[in-house]
Amino acid sequence: MKNSPIPVTIITGFLGAGKTTLLEVLLDAGTGLRFAIIENEFGNVGVDGSLVSAPMDTIFELNDGCVCCTVRNDLLQVFDQILRRKDTIDHVIIETTGLAVPGPVMALFDAPGIAGMLTLDGVVTLVDAGHLQQSLDDVPACLEQIVSTDLLILNKVDALSEA
């Protein structure tokens, strides 16, 4: 088991779709897995990282840009830190900023030094059902998140009328 690659799940979705809430539910589910969490924030100050109930030494925050473009080198550095602690981590979850396009992050798992050590387990995309059409109209990244997904979660459906 020691030589098996660590599975990585990407949680993505447009702004306000419920990514951090889903992450909290996963962490509170009592799976027994030891997670490393990579939080991607767009601003200088991490907000979501303070909301996640995981041990602080297993949360890695990437600020100042989307993980899909400006902070990819930072992401590779975090991967290196995680791999040095391979025996204490069962699964990695990357929560992207709402503007991130998953494709470039997904491609990292084929890179030398990553392939065989970390494996992309899947991409989970959340969408706010009440704002989906507006998000699709306003921001191309929303459609790319949906197209790249393995599992699509329609969130906040309970807030919609039957019509």
Side-chain angles (χ1 to χ4, degrees):
M1 191 75 173
K2 239 180 178 183
N3 293 325
S4 299
I6 300 172
V8 180
T9 301
I10 298 172
I11 297 177
T12 191
F14 197 61
L15 303 167
K19 298 178 297 292
T20 301
T21 302
L22 174 63
L23 182 56
E24 283 285 350
V25 169
L26 291 172
L27 294 175
D28 291 341
T31 64
L33 293 175
R34 300 167 297 172
F35 291 104
I37 310 299
I38 301 173
E39 281 283 331
N40 180 212
E41 301 292 343
F42 198 73
N44 290 329
V45 179
V47 176
D48 287 348
S50 64
L51 302 175
V52 177
S53 61
M56 291 309 294
D57 65 339
T58 61
I59 298 177
F60 302 89
E61 286 188 314
L62 300 174
N63 298 329
D64 294 328
C66 283
V67 72
C68 63
C69 47
T70 58
V71 296
R72 282 179 60 199
N73 286 331
D74 291 345
L75 180 58
L76 290 173
Q77 291 174 5
V78 169
F79 283 170
D80 185 56
Q81 292 175 44
I82 289 170
L83 290 172
R84 281 189 255 132
R85 297 174 47 196
K86 183 176 176 122
D87 293 339
T88 64
I89 296 172
D90 300 317
H91 199 107
V92 177
I93 299 174
I94 301 172
E95 180 187 347
T96 70
T97 178
L99 299 172
V101 176
V105 178
M106 295 165 65
L108 288 176
F109 294 93
D110 294 326
I114 301 299
M117 302 298 283
L118 296 166
T119 185
L120 182 59
D121 189 48
V123 178
V124 177
T125 301
L126 281 89
V127 295
D128 180 334
H131 296 100
L132 177 58
Q133 190 59 57
Q134 180 181 352
S135 298
L136 286 168
D137 291 343
D138 293 346
V139 182
C142 185
L143 179 59
E144 291 186 50
Q145 292 169 350
I146 293 170
V147 171
S148 299
T149 198
D150 295 302
L151 174 65
L152 181 66
I153 298 175
L154 288 173
N155 199 15
K156 304 180 184 182
V157 175
D158 60 327
L160 299 176
S161 68
E162 191 171 313

